Amino acid sequence: MLTTLNTAYSDTRAADLAWALGREPLPALATLDLELQGSKLQLRLLGASHQVLLEEERGLCSETVACIPGSSTPLPLGVAKRVDDWEYEFAARVEVLPPGAFAGRAQELLALVSDHPQGLAGVFPGSPHAFTAMLARCHEGQFHWRTWHAYPQDGQLVATRTRVGVRVAARAGAGARVNKYHACG
């Protein structure tokens, strides 16, 4: 799904993005509600970037990547942690592209996400290449989502990748792994 976000694009930078786990839902400009094998996943486009809310029978997981005034947690390159029953992994990278390559990459990503049934993209007024895009899936007992945050004025594209699963103790036995993940039912 592709939408034009009803807010002015501000000259934020990739370096202004912060990361938070466990935040309450923030006001969203656009949302996409998904049900993936019995669990609820909500993709949320914020005026300042994105938030993902995952509700599974064993708990709730909330990820926020946004320009949050007063936030003390900058965007990390990687995070792996256990939160209650959740195993959470996050990775981020910043690509710097020349103007022609940036425009082509922006068009490619917007086409990929806007045509996908589990994708949400929002374009900011004023620049056709200023956008936030999100794509989710459930695969092999894990929830996965990818996001892209475009800053055309700097030629920067921030890409994130997240994996979330619920840790379940496996039965002991020959060849059994102690740590199995189950998130998608």
Side-chain angles (χ1 to χ4, degrees), residues 161-177:
R161 184 181 302 244
T162 302
R163 182 201 59 82
V164 178
V166 175
R167 181 180 159 88
V168 178
R171 291 188 175 124
R177 293 180 5 200

Side-chain angles (χ1 to χ4, degrees), residues 64-135:
T64 306
V65 172
C67 301
I68 304 169
S71 177
S72 61
T73 306
L75 188 65
L77 294 178
V79 173
K81 65 190 310 180
R82 184 181 309 160
V83 180
D84 298 322
D85 287 340
W86 295 102
E87 293 284 350
Y88 174 90
E89 292 179 5
F90 172 87
R93 67 182 163 78
V94 178
E95 291 180 62
V96 180
L97 301 164
F102 188 92
R105 182 75 171 131
Q107 290 173 349
E108 174 185 285
L109 288 169
L110 287 171
L112 169 75
V113 174
S114 64
D115 292 338
H116 197 285
Q118 294 168 197
L120 176 63
V123 177
F124 291 90
S127 174
H129 303 123
F131 68 90
T132 299
M134 309 171 73
L135 191 58

Side-chain angles (χ1 to χ4, degrees), residues 149-168:
H149 308 262
Y151 300 95
Q153 72 279 7
D154 297 325
Q156 294 181 323
L157 183 66
V158 177
T160 73
R161 184 181 302 244
T162 302
R163 182 201 59 82
V164 178
V166 175
R167 181 180 159 88
V168 178

Side-chain angles (χ1 to χ4, degrees), residues 5 23 43 45 51 63 69 73 78 80 83 87 91 103 113 125-126 137 152-153 167:
L5 300 173
R23 274 188 170 264
L43 305 178
L45 295 177
Q51 187 172 52
E63 172 190 278
T73 306
V83 180
E87 293 284 350
V113 174
R137 69 186 177 117
Q153 72 279 7
R167 181 180 159 88

